[in-house]
Amino acid sequence: MQSVQRRLFQLISGTPVKPVTGARRSNVLRNIRGALKLLGLSDLESKLPVVIHVAGTKGKGSTCMMCEAICLKAGLRTGLFISPHLVKVNERFRICGKPVGDVVL
């Protein structure tokens, strides 16, 4: 439990952490799955959507649009949120490649 609390503090405080790789990664995933099972949430992993979070200072919009295009071409359903908008708030939202209309917002 102390290692979980320590890791949460590292995440919250922004303390640098060694990347999790190899055998250590499989241990971490096993621990997370064990914690989900203890909480009665073992089937949660299969219900969560796949999320691509893009951060940085330049090129986020272009990167998101390319990711959306790739996912759509692969037959996946997508939801896209980009900020800020240029003209209308609707520009921020796209569902399966289509802009969200005024009625929805």
Side-chain angles (χ1 to χ4, degrees):
M1 189 63 176
Q2 288 178 344
S3 63
V4 172
Q5 290 172 332
R6 185 172 51 248
R7 179 65 180 128
L8 286 173
F9 177 75
Q10 289 171 333
L11 290 170
I12 293 167
S13 66
T15 306
V17 181
K18 289 191 316 186
V20 179
T21 58
R24 190 166 160 237
R25 178 185 169 118
S26 63
N27 288 339
V28 169
L29 291 175
R30 188 175 59 243
N31 291 343
I32 290 171
R33 287 187 179 111
L36 289 173
K37 188 174 181 180
L38 284 172
L39 295 170
L41 302 170
S42 57
D43 63 340
L44 182 65
E45 187 176 359
S46 64
K47 294 179 182 178
L48 294 174
V50 175
V51 175
I52 300 172
H53 178 222
V54 180
T57 56
K58 296 187 183 220
K60 294 181 296 296
S62 302
T63 301
C64 289
M65 297 296 265
M66 285 188 278
C67 288
E68 180 189 43
I70 291 167
C71 290
L72 288 170
K73 194 72 169 175
L76 301 172
R77 293 176 31 201
T78 62
L80 177 67
F81 172 77
I82 298 176
S83 179
H85 62 279
L86 297 175
V87 180
K88 292 174 66 176
V89 174
N90 301 41
E91 296 171 19
R92 293 182 182 203
F93 306 95
R94 293 168 56 97
I95 298 175
C96 292
K98 295 181 172 61
V100 173
D102 292 331
V103 175
V104 176
L105 295 177

